[in-house]
């Protein structure tokens, strides 16, 4: 009989993590490019200048190359909730399935429908309808991201539901609490606009490559100007929502914050470590509690409990939470038994116990308090890479804007900037990946924070089966990535040739 | 007004409709399975690929929405079938992933594997996609091997509710020849629909006669497989549910009874089959007739819808277990809570609006037929 083994959990996590990270190589670029294309085509429609049409079409071509891989990996992610996390699918499917379904109905169809008009409608529909289609493609992709991020936020901070022992699952009681909780709003702007940052860096990087080769100069300059403004606005919003996100994590996922800082022992007036022991005094307290002497619990404090939480309650020790969790799981067993025997007293007693301890249900599956500590080393550095690069990009866009709008950027003494811009393209990709490591590794072992750990969420499969599919996907993804990069390089090298002719 | 039972039936209808539209949209896959058979040179293959290439997103999106809607409305199916029949679903996914990238990659420089490899991927998905989806749907009638026990959730060491009964994890569906037969029927149907779509969408004097000849060749196996499956299903015992106790038992001629007891479903089914046959027949016999895809397409939607309704309505277990009859999934024991179903029902009011803009956008693209000249001028794959 199949058992839940550490190998099964690890391979299932690895497969999901790989697919999600791979998905996020392509999606941010399509999210951001769709907006940049929209801006360029709007300029075309407003000015009637064919130059903007050709410019928009070039970035649409790049968008098209990325779109398919993003869509394909998105489908795998959706189905993997069922194939690899089947218990999860039942335990919270009543809540979690809804945003996925709404995404399909409201957003994905919009994107898929209008992308066809965008690519093949140039000579078939009016200018206005075409422009609307380009924007609707981008809006479809963005609304789609909204619902997916709503679903992800709910895993980080489950709200709007109650546990029903009769069906043995959580059931939705408040749709608006799920769909519009403040954390989802923050996550949406933080993630989607980080995609805009990536796309802006990409556009500037590619344009600088043309400037370096002295090709397509007008095209490159125009693209840089638009991308620099777009990127600067986006990167400031990303920084602002990043700060807000830190505050929310401190309130709802204190272990994640402690692990990000590798903070073993917390306390009042905590400083923020930049790296290698260099600290900004009071900064961590300020970021996470909005007061310079606020209390920030460390990993050991969270395990031991006894401090006052932001909601005013005294934190329980993890041992105590595990004890209560086990009582809740046992009460579920008693409830089912009582039902089977038609023993009403037993059923009702069990229901009362379950209601009293439901909050700790997930801790019932935790074997060892140390299992609740995520990988601190990986998180510590991912967080610094994400934040450091985020700040670098703000500076980068400021410089691009300064050079671009004063026409200095085409001068040969700005060559250094071309190299910086090209190097920034892979860095922007790394920043996005680091961000998702922070968000997802940071909440381990919880599939749903405090409610369901990964060992109770996984499908019952042989570890070998999941390992096999992991490697099949790995090989496939690798081949497709090499092909994708090859195609992108060729497309960029070929460049917007027609634009030169149009000028 | 909206009772729990009504909402369950409503959502089964929505999921069935999405499934039915998905089968119709498999014309993209069916068409792709023909690219080497019908396209004698690169230009002709390019015409065929560009023709289905303007519709593949619809198929893909419908597949994703079908998955999402099934997840939201019948989560126990999602966890039992996807987590259990692991291999069959992953093969389906893999084939669709290959398809999604192949359009964009096949015609581009620097694509690593070469044009032909990506075209072979399209053909591979053209066969595997419809065949495996057909075989998976056949298990709705023939049963699978799983056990569902919600009490498992209280076992800390092994809390998984739905477990497959053998190590084959879905490949065991291939051991039942009737699953394969529906797989082949869906494959040939997709091919016919793809062909009818080409006839409608491509304006090319050389391809047209070849398309019509192929139509005849594929109609024969389709009819054989489809009729065999339908006749056998009507004659076999089915998985019935006692509405009072929820107990599941085998009832002789269950699916025949369902059709007889639900005349609307029978009418849908017969109208659908007639539509498919009319679309096919007229396209085969009238050389200039190109509207066959609409009759056969709508016919397919109605037929598949009727089959799904037959397997879910009228106290039937729609995802039965051969291993443990009482583990079989019914609308009532596998659906979401009344609150979720009601909320989602409100969202689904927007579906007609979505359909309207799809039709509008589709028509605006398709009013001019695809020709060789257009391929040279416009963005193509």
């Amino acid at each position: 009989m199949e058992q839940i083994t550490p190998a099964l959990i690890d391979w299932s996590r690895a497969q999901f993590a790989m697919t999600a990270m791979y998905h996020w190589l392509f999606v941010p670029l399509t999210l951001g490019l769709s907006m940049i294309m929209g801006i360029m085509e709007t300029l075309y429609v407003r000015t009637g200048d064919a130059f903007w049409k050709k410019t928009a079409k070039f970035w649409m071509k790049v968008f098209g190359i990325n779109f398919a891989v993003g869509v394909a990996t998105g489908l795998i992610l959706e189905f993997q909730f069922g194939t690899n996390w089947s218990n999860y699918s039942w335990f919270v499917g009543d809540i979690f399935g809804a945003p996925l379904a709404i995404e399909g109905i409201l957003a994905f169809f919009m994107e898929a429908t209008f992308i066809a008009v965008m690519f093949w409608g140039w000579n078939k529909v009016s200018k206005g309808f075409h422009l609307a289609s380009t924007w609707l493609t981008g809006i479809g992709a963005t609304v789609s991201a909204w619902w997916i991020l709503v679903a992800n936020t709910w895993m980080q901070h489950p709200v709007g539901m109650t546990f029903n022992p009769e069906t043995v699952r959580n059931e939705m009681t408040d749709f608006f609490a799920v769909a519009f909780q403040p954390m989802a709003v923050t996550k949406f702007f933080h993630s989607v606009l980080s995609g805009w940052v990536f796309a802006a860096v990409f556009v500037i990087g590619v344009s600088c490559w043309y400037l370096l080769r002295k090709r397509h100069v007008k095209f490159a300059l125009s693209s840089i100007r638009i991308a620099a403004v777009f990127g600067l606005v986006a990167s400031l919003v990303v920084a602002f929502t990043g700060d807000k996100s830190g505050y929310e994590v401190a309130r709802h996922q204190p272990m994640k914050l402690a692990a990000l800082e590798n903070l073993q022992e917390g306390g009042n007036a905590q400083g923020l470590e930049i790296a290698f022991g260099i600290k900004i005094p009071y900064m961590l307290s300020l970021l996470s509690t909005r007061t310079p002497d606020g209390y920030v619990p460390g990993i050991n404090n969270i395990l031991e409990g006894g401090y006052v939480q932001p909601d005013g309650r005294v934190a329980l020790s993890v041992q105590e939470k595990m004890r209560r969790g086990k009582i809740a799981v046992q009460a579920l067993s008693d409830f089912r038994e009582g039902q089977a025997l038609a023993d009403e007293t037993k059923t009702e007693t069990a229901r009362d116990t379950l209601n009293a301890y439901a909050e700790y249900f997930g801790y019932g599956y935790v074997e060892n308090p140390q299992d609740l500590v995520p990988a601190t080393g990986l998180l510590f550095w991912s967080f610094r890479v994400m934040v450091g690069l985020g700040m670098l990009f703000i500076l980068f866009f400021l410089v691009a804007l300064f050079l671009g709008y004063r026409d200095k950027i085409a001068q040969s003494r700005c060559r250094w900037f071309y190299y910086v811009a090209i190097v920034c393209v892979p860095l922007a990709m790394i920043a996005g990946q680091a961000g998702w490591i922070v968000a997802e590794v940071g909440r381990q072992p919880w599939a749903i924070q405090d409610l369901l750990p990964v060992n109770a969420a996984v499908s019952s499969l042989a570890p070998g089966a999941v390992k096999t599919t992991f490697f099949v996907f790995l090989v496939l993804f690798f081949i497709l990535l090499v092909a994708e990069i090859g195609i992108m390089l060729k497309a960029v090298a070929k460049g917007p040739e027609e634009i030169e002719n149009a000028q | 007004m909206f009772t729990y039972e009504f909402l369950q039936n409503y959502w089964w209808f929505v999921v069935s409709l999405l499934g039915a539209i998905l089968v119709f949209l498999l014309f993209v896959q069916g068409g792709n399975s023909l690219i080497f058979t019908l396209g004698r040179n690169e230009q002709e293959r390019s015409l065929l690929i560009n023709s289905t290439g303007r519709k593949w997103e619809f198929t893909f999106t419908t597949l994703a929405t079908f998955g999402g809607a099934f997840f939201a409305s019948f989560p126990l199916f999602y966890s039992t079938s996807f987590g259990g029949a692991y291999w069959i679903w992953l093969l389906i996914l893999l084939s669709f992933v290959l398809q999604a990238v192949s359009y964009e990659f096949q015609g581009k420089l620097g694509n690593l594997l070469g044009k032909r490899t990506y075209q072979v991927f399209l053909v591979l998905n053209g066969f595997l996609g419809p065949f495996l989806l057909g075989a998976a749907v056949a298990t709705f009638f023939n049963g699978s091997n799983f056990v569902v026990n919600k009490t498992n959730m209280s076992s800390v060491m092994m809390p998984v509710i739905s477990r497959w009964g053998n190590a084959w994890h879905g490949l065991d569906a291939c051991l039942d020849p009737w699953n394969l037969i529906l797989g082949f029927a869906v494959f040939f149907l997709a091919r016919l629909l793809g062909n009818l779509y080409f006839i409608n969408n491509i304006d090319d004097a050389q391809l047209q006669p070849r398309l019509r000849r192929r139509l005849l060749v594929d109609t024969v196996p389709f009819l054989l497989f489809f009729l065999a499956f339908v006749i056998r299903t009507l004659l076999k015992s089915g998985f019935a549910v006692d509405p009072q106790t929820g107990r599941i038992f085998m009832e002789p001629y269950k699916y025949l009874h369902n059709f007889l007891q639900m005349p609307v479903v029978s009418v849908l089914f017969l109208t659908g089959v007639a539509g498919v046959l009319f679309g096919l027949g007229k396209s085969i016999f009238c050389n200039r007739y190109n509207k066959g895809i609409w009759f056969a397409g709508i016919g397919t939607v109605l037929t598949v819808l009727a089959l799904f309704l037959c397997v879910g309505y009228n106290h039937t277990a729609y995802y039965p277990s051969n291993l443990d009859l009482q583990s079989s999934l019914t609308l009532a024991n596998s659906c979401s809570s009344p609150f979720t179903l009601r909320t989602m029902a409100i969202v689904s009011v927007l579906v007609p609006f979505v359909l309207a803009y799809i039709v509008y956008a589709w028509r605006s693209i398709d009013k001019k037929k695809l020709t060789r000249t257009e391929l040279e001028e416009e963005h193509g794959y």
Side-chain angles (χ1 to χ4, degrees):
Chain A
M1 201 68 192
E2 282 153 354
Q3 293 296 329
I4 306 295
T5 60
L8 172 67
I9 298 165
D10 289 347
W11 284 113
S12 303
R13 278 185 60 200
Q15 179 163 298
F16 198 88
M18 175 175 67
T19 319
M21 290 177 82
Y22 192 70
H23 186 59
W24 197 251
L25 291 178
F26 306 96
V27 170
L29 196 54
T30 50
L31 284 171
L33 276 181
S34 67
M35 296 294 133
I36 292 178
M37 287 152 21
I39 294 170
M40 288 171 173
E41 194 179 331
T42 307
L43 287 171
Y44 162 61
V45 173
R46 293 193 61 154
T47 61
D49 184 352
F51 167 79
W52 288 115
K53 182 180 174 184
K54 301 287 181 184
T55 308
K57 276 181 110 171
F58 175 76
W59 295 115
M60 281 175 190
K61 191 161 96 178
V62 177
F63 173 91
I65 297 167
N66 274 277
F67 173 76
V69 193
V71 170
T73 46
L75 184 79
I76 307 178
L77 284 172
E78 182 192 358
F79 280 69
Q80 265 188 28
F81 282 109
T83 56
N84 292 85
W85 303 99
S86 74
N87 233 31
Y88 173 100
S89 296
W90 173 250
F91 197 63
V92 294
D94 194 62
I95 308 122
F96 191 82
L100 297 196
I102 298 174
E103 185 233 358
I105 295 167
L106 295 189
F108 203 16
F109 269 115
M110 185 189 281
E111 185 181 5
T113 304
F114 291 103
I115 197 175
V117 182
M118 180 175 93
F119 276 126
W120 299 290
W122 285 108
N123 299 329
K124 291 174 180 164
V125 300
S126 72
K127 260 190 191 179
F129 183 36
H130 193 277
L131 178 65
S133 300
T134 303
W135 278 112
L136 285 169
T137 304
I139 292 168
T142 310
V143 177
S144 169
W146 168 272
W147 289 107
I148 295 305
L149 293 169
V150 160
N152 180 274
T153 307
W154 189 82
M155 297 160 91
Q156 317 271 351
H157 185 227
V159 287
M161 82 295 175
T162 177
F163 183 72
N164 180 352
E166 273 154 45
T167 51
V168 194
R169 66 175 173 195
N170 285 278
E171 295 181 350
M172 184 151 58
T173 52
D174 185 348
F175 176 72
F176 286 94
V178 175
F180 301 104
Q181 63 162 316
M183 247 177 113
V185 179
T186 311
K187 193 176 249 311
F188 170 78
F189 281 103
H190 193 62
S191 310
V192 171
L193 271 72
S194 81
W196 293 14
V197 170
F198 180 21
V201 170
F202 179 83
V203 168
I204 297 176
V206 170
S207 302
C208 281
W209 187 79
Y210 288 137
L211 292 179
L212 195 64
R213 309 290 296 263
K214 297 195 168 33
R215 288 171 59 193
H216 318 300
V217 174
K218 184 183 171 194
F219 163 85
L221 283 175
S222 314
S223 294
I224 288 173
R225 284 179 193 142
I226 289 175
V229 176
F230 179 74
L232 183 63
V233 173
S235 58
L236 289 173
V237 176
V238 170
F240 174 73
T241 50
D243 167 66
K244 197 157 178 297
S245 178
Y247 177 67
E248 287 165 347
V249 165
R251 291 185 76 84
H252 304 304
Q253 298 176 296
M255 181 60 93
K256 186 193 272 188
L257 185 78
L260 290 178
E261 290 306 312
N262 197 9
L263 185 68
Q264 299 295 328
E265 296 294 337
N268 291 91
Q270 289 293 310
L272 180 77
E273 183 176 342
I274 299 173
F276 309 112
I278 305 165
K279 281 195 172 184
I280 309 175
Y282 304 109
M283 199 60 185
L284 184 59
S285 285
L286 196 62
L287 289 174
S288 52
T289 66
R290 300 297 191 226
T291 52
D293 61 345
Y295 179 82
V296 185
I299 293 170
N300 291 335
N301 308 110
I302 296 168
L303 294 179
E304 286 156 16
Y307 61 92
V308 180
Q309 298 173 131
D311 63 6
R313 295 193 301 172
V314 175
L316 296 177
S317 73
V318 164
Q319 288 285 7
E320 175 59 19
K321 288 181 183 175
M322 284 164 61
R323 191 185 70 82
R324 295 185 182 195
K326 299 231 182 316
I327 294 174
V329 174
Q330 183 56 44
L332 174 65
S333 176
D334 294 345
F335 180 89
R336 303 284 297 177
E337 211 176 286
Q339 269 195 323
L341 301 168
D343 180 344
E344 211 163 293
T345 325
K346 186 170 187 172
T347 312
E348 287 314 307
T349 316
R351 190 199 290 274
D352 291 343
T353 314
L354 202 46
N355 285 342
Y357 292 100
E359 188 183 345
Y360 306 101
F361 191 85
Y363 286 90
Y365 299 101
V366 178
E367 283 178 50
N368 184 342
Q370 283 301 325
D371 294 348
L372 295 175
V373 183
T376 45
L378 176 64
L379 287 167
F380 182 85
W381 287 109
S382 299
F383 184 61
R384 271 136 196 90
V385 166
M386 174 185 78
V387 175
L389 288 174
M391 292 187 171
L392 173 75
F393 296 140
I394 297 178
L395 183 68
F396 171 76
F397 290 126
L398 280 171
V399 175
L401 205 60
F402 177 75
L403 296 176
Y405 274 85
R406 304 192 68 186
D407 275 340
K408 287 185 177 169
I409 205 162
Q411 294 165 11
S412 56
R413 62 193 166 117
C414 281
R415 281 175 76 89
W416 63 272
F417 182 76
Y418 306 160
Y419 293 111
V420 170
I422 293 165
V423 171
C424 276
V425 175
L427 290 183
M429 201 178 252
I430 290 168
Q433 298 288 320
W436 278 108
I437 290 173
V438 167
E440 300 303 290
V441 177
R443 69 174 152 113
Q444 289 304 318
W446 298 110
I448 306 152
Q449 187 72 37
D450 294 348
L451 209 63
L452 190 72
V454 280
N455 56 312
V458 76
S459 299
S460 172
L461 293 161
V466 186
K467 193 173 166 182
T468 308
T469 51
F470 172 86
F471 281 107
V472 169
F473 280 126
L474 181 69
V475 171
L476 177 71
F477 288 168
F478 180 73
I479 291 173
L480 294 183
L481 184 65
V482 175
E484 151 103 15
I485 292 172
I487 293 170
M488 291 269 266
L489 290 178
K490 288 277 179 199
V492 169
K494 197 174 164 214
E497 298 291 352
E498 297 161 74
I499 293 170
E500 304 300 298
N501 305 335
Q503 283 172 27
Chain B
M1 177 175 128
F2 295 131
T3 63
Y4 198 14
E5 200 185 344
F6 171 83
L7 288 166
Q8 290 162 3
N9 288 325
Y10 174 73
W11 274 98
W12 183 252
F13 178 80
V14 173
V15 168
S16 302
L17 185 64
L18 281 167
I21 295 174
L22 176 63
V23 175
F24 160 54
L25 290 171
L26 286 178
F27 75 76
V28 168
Q29 276 61 34
N32 288 345
S33 77
L34 289 164
I35 49 183
F36 287 110
T37 319
L38 293 172
R40 290 192 181 154
N41 54 47
E42 208 41 67
Q43 199 187 25
E44 287 179 359
R45 281 195 284 276
S46 177
L47 261 179
L48 298 170
I49 289 169
N50 274 282
S51 179
T52 55
R54 296 178 181 195
K55 298 291 179 293
W56 76 265
E57 288 105 337
F58 290 108
T59 314
F60 221 84
T61 307
T62 309
L63 178 61
T65 308
F66 175 69
F70 225 145
F71 193 1
S73 49
F74 299 97
L76 194 57
F77 170 79
Y78 209 77
S79 64
T80 304
S81 180
F82 287 18
Y86 186 72
W87 288 110
I88 215 160
W89 288 111
L90 276 181
L91 277 173
I92 291 172
L93 276 184
L94 214 57
S95 91
F96 275 92
V97 171
L98 289 178
Q99 176 256 294
V101 294
S102 292
Y103 279 114
E104 193 65 38
F105 283 14
Q106 57 100 27
K108 295 275 191 301
L109 292 172
N111 66 11
L112 186 73
L113 302 175
K115 191 172 199 140
R116 204 178 165 84
T117 312
Y118 290 104
Q119 293 182 348
V120 170
F121 286 164
L122 288 178
V123 177
L124 203 67
N125 166 252
F127 172 71
L128 280 180
F131 176 75
L132 291 175
L133 281 171
V137 170
T139 63
F140 284 41
F141 292 91
N142 299 326
S144 304
N145 301 302
F146 61 85
V147 178
V148 175
N149 183 358
K150 290 178 187 162
T151 306
N152 286 351
M153 201 68 209
S154 60
S155 151
V156 171
M157 294 310 288
M158 187 59 203
V160 182
I161 285 171
S162 307
R163 298 164 78 173
W164 211 250
N166 58 53
W168 291 91
H169 277 288
L171 293 178
D172 42 331
C174 298
L175 294 177
D176 183 342
W178 292 103
N179 293 338
L180 303 183
I181 284 173
L182 188 63
F184 279 115
V186 174
F187 165 66
F188 280 106
L189 174 66
R191 242 163 121 89
L192 291 169
L193 292 171
N195 197 330
L196 290 172
Y197 166 73
F198 287 144
I199 290 175
N200 179 274
N201 191 246
I202 303 176
D203 179 12
D204 191 82
Q206 281 159 331
L207 268 176
Q208 283 283 345
R210 240 179 284 152
L211 291 168
R212 309 234 177 216
R213 272 200 301 279
R214 189 73 224 175
L215 210 49
L216 188 61
V217 177
D218 286 336
T219 300
V220 178
F222 162 66
L223 285 178
L224 286 177
F225 284 118
F226 177 71
L227 289 176
F229 183 83
V230 170
I231 292 167
R232 189 263 179 175
T233 300
L234 294 178
L235 298 178
K236 85 191 246 335
S237 299
F239 300 82
V241 190
D242 182 328
Q244 255 73 50
T245 62
R247 266 190 63 79
I248 292 138
F249 61 97
M250 296 308 291
E251 180 186 319
Y253 305 107
K254 172 65 181 161
Y255 303 108
L256 178 64
H257 291 163
N258 280 0
F259 275 118
L260 295 175
Q261 286 160 13
M262 297 186 289
V264 176
V265 175
S266 303
V267 170
L268 280 178
F269 182 76
L270 294 174
T271 317
V273 173
V276 173
L277 293 178
F278 176 79
L280 283 172
K282 190 153 184 194
S283 305
I284 292 171
F285 295 113
C286 305
N287 270 335
R288 301 179 65 181
Y289 183 71
N290 70 358
K291 301 266 186 286
I293 181 66
W294 292 115
F295 285 98
I298 293 168
T300 300
V301 172
L302 297 180
T303 310
V304 178
L305 177 63
L307 283 172
F308 270 113
L309 296 182
C310 170
V311 84
Y313 284 175
N314 203 32
H315 312 299
T316 314
Y318 72 88
Y319 195 64
S321 171
N322 292 325
L323 197 61
D324 171 33
L325 205 52
Q326 300 315 317
S327 287
S328 302
L329 307 191
T330 65
L331 298 190
N333 73 14
S334 67
C335 69
S336 280
S337 66
F339 181 86
T340 298
L341 291 183
R342 200 177 310 117
T343 310
M344 297 293 303
I346 295 167
V347 174
S348 75
V349 170
L350 292 167
V351 169
F353 170 72
V354 175
L355 286 175
Y357 74 64
I358 291 175
V359 170
Y360 183 71
W362 187 322
R363 280 173 63 92
S364 67
I365 293 290
D366 274 4
K367 44 186 187 206
K368 259 169 71 182
K369 300 292 168 200
L370 187 63
T371 60
R372 294 183 195 226
T373 349
E374 185 188 333
L375 277 193
E376 286 155 19
E377 291 168 355
E378 266 294 315
H379 173 99
Y381 287 119

